Amino acid sequence: MIECIIDCDPGIDDALALIFASKLRTLKIKAITTVFGNSTVENTSLNALKILDLIQRTDIRVYRGSASPIIKNYRFPAYNYLDDEINPHGANGLANIVLPQPTQKLSESNAIDLIINTILENPKRISIIAIGPLTNIAIALLKSPEIAQSIKEIIIMGGAIKVQGNINKFSEFNIWSDAEAAKIVFNMMSDKIILVPLDVTRQIIFKNVEIFNKNNLYNKFLYNILNFYSTFHLNNCGFFGSILHDPFAVGVAENRDYCDIREIPLDVEIEDRNKYGKVFINLEKDKENKKIKTCLNISLKNIEKFLNYFEKKLLNF
Ligand code: RIB
Ligand code: CA
């Protein structure tokens, strides 16, 4: 059993990841922590609560986290998450779909303290699945450095190693949103990280939307968010389909055999504004043995295997 905290910024693919994770018998979701990213932290927190209602998992608590990056807020004017024309996730973070108001409230305590307390109270047992900007994790590490030894592992969706980024040609969104936070996490818990970068996630494209075209709230929600996200990719990338960045990170948390994983000395660019957030191979770092387990390749067979598994898990509700 993998006991995990999912740190996320729902976000369409985060929503799919939460639903997928809730269906995996091997995962015990101890808590959900939210962070700014695909939308404001108010929206990502509200969206997490609504998704839990949708899948009838209000046994899982939601803890609100950081509203902005630790130091720099390089949100380029063109990428203002409140602009639903630009944002792949819509103005409210969930394809502008209005789900019913949540039945549970946000927890009183914040995400940072939840992360610290859960890890220290369960030494070597807690995994974090980080599928948004790494601000919460970095602040938790600065506040309580001992969690770096006590955490079991952290699976991070982020970075673009040998491929172009998705914010610009250098940077991937989660790392770019708070590169200082990512640098702190990479440096303070490198041996506990499994990095799932665009190198593999960009190949995980779900196209089979019609199977959710049914007349109930759960299927209509999936149908609408998948259509919205697939249309964004059609208009911006030339194909109709949803790239499953975050659900695949959940998949790797359960089974790392999907990918060819290499240990490489990685670092994060924070000085050069044009390359801010780029994850690069730093051979200098190799001397301190700061290597990070990184998913670099995936076979077509394993892409198909994951997509079929993902579809089966989402279908049976
Ligand atoms: O670059 C992909 C990542 O950025 C995913 O986590 C997606 O939800 C967005 O946050
Ligand atoms: Ca995300």
Side-chain angles (χ1 to χ4, degrees):
M1 181 63 78
I2 299 164
E3 294 180 83
C4 66
I5 295 168
I6 302 181
D7 189 72
C8 56
D9 60 331
I12 290 173
D13 63 325
D14 301 73
L16 294 167
L18 292 176
I19 297 169
F20 176 54
S22 74
K23 304 288 182 72
L24 302 183
R25 277 195 283 276
T26 54
L27 284 193
K28 178 174 171 39
I29 305 172
K30 301 277 286 183
I32 290 172
T33 51
T34 58
V35 65
F36 78 96
N38 290 322
S39 194
T40 61
V41 72
E42 289 77 18
N43 282 342
T44 62
S45 305
L46 180 62
N47 293 340
L49 290 171
K50 290 182 172 183
I51 292 155
L52 291 174
D53 268 342
L54 185 75
I55 57 176
Q56 297 166 17
R57 288 300 307 274
T58 50
D59 57 300
I60 301 170
R61 299 304 310 278
V62 179
Y63 297 77
R64 176 184 154 146
S66 306
S68 60
I70 295 176
I71 299 177
K72 297 188 189 78
N73 198 341
Y74 276 155
R75 287 205 177 278
F76 303 121
Y79 200 84
N80 177 339
Y81 42 51
L82 298 182
D83 176 348
D84 61 353
E85 295 308 311
I86 303 271
N87 189 333
H89 302 270
N92 71 351
L94 279 187
N96 305 319
I97 295 162
V98 181
L99 286 172
Q101 281 306 311
T103 58
Q104 68 157 327
K105 292 198 179 316
L106 280 175
S107 168
E108 294 296 311
S109 52
N110 69 63
I112 313 302
D113 293 335
L114 179 276
I115 290 167
I116 294 169
N117 297 335
T118 307
I119 291 172
L120 296 182
E121 287 159 16
N122 301 277
K124 308 280 187 198
R125 281 174 45 197
I126 303 298
S127 300
I128 292 181
I129 302 175
I131 51 178
L134 292 169
T135 313
N136 293 339
I137 319 297
I139 296 172
L141 274 166
L142 295 174
K143 189 171 178 182
S144 181
E146 61 271 29
I147 63 172
Q149 293 319 311
S150 199
I151 192 171
K152 182 180 174 190
E153 67 179 359
I154 178 169
I155 296 89
I156 298 172
M157 191 280 129
I161 315 300
K162 296 187 176 170
V163 297
Q164 292 213 345
N166 55 6
I167 277 295
N168 54 44
K169 67 178 183 177
F170 301 109
S171 306
E172 175 279 326
F173 180 80
N174 286 339
I175 306 296
W176 169 83
S177 290
D178 193 342
E180 283 79 6
K183 195 176 188 73
I184 289 164
V185 175
F186 279 31
N187 286 344
M188 289 182 73
M189 55 159 85
S190 56
D191 58 325
K192 300 293 179 73
I193 295 172
I194 297 183
L195 187 70
V196 187
L198 292 182
D199 303 61
V200 290
T201 64
R202 200 177 248 145
Q203 301 177 63
I204 320 290
I205 302 172
F206 185 79
K207 297 179 186 247
N208 197 7
V209 184
E210 278 313 309
I211 57 174
F212 298 106
N213 192 0
K214 298 172 192 161
N215 195 19
N216 62 60
L217 188 63
Y218 170 82
N219 279 291
K220 268 178 15 185
F221 173 73
L222 286 176
Y223 181 71
N224 289 330
I225 65 170
L226 285 165
N227 260 312
F228 186 97
Y229 206 35
S230 299
T231 305
F232 169 83
H233 288 110
L234 181 63
N235 296 337
N236 293 273
C237 309
F239 63 83
F240 182 86
S242 293
I243 306 181
L244 300 182
H245 301 288
D246 294 344
F248 188 66
V250 171
V252 170
E254 185 188 41
N255 173 10
R256 54 222 56 185
D257 293 339
Y258 285 117
C259 296
D260 167 24
I261 295 180
R262 300 286 169 82
E263 293 203 18
I264 35 183
L266 293 176
D267 207 340
V268 183
E269 178 59 59
I270 58 171
E271 306 298 337
D272 178 343
R273 164 121 194 202
N274 296 319
K275 296 183 179 176
Y276 180 78
K278 177 161 178 53
V279 174
F280 62 95
I281 297 175
N282 178 349
L283 294 175
E284 282 305 304
K285 273 183 78 171
D286 197 8
K287 295 194 183 64
E288 307 142 38
N289 194 20
K290 293 268 186 192
K291 288 187 177 176
I292 289 177
K293 291 184 281 297
T294 305
C295 301
L296 274 183
N297 301 298
I298 182 169
S299 64
L300 289 177
K301 178 168 145 286
N302 283 348
I303 292 171
E304 211 52 44
K305 180 180 169 188
F306 175 76
L307 286 170
N308 292 334
Y309 182 55
F310 171 79
E311 178 175 308
K312 186 163 80 58
K313 289 296 179 185
L314 259 64
L315 260 180
N316 72 355
F317 184 73

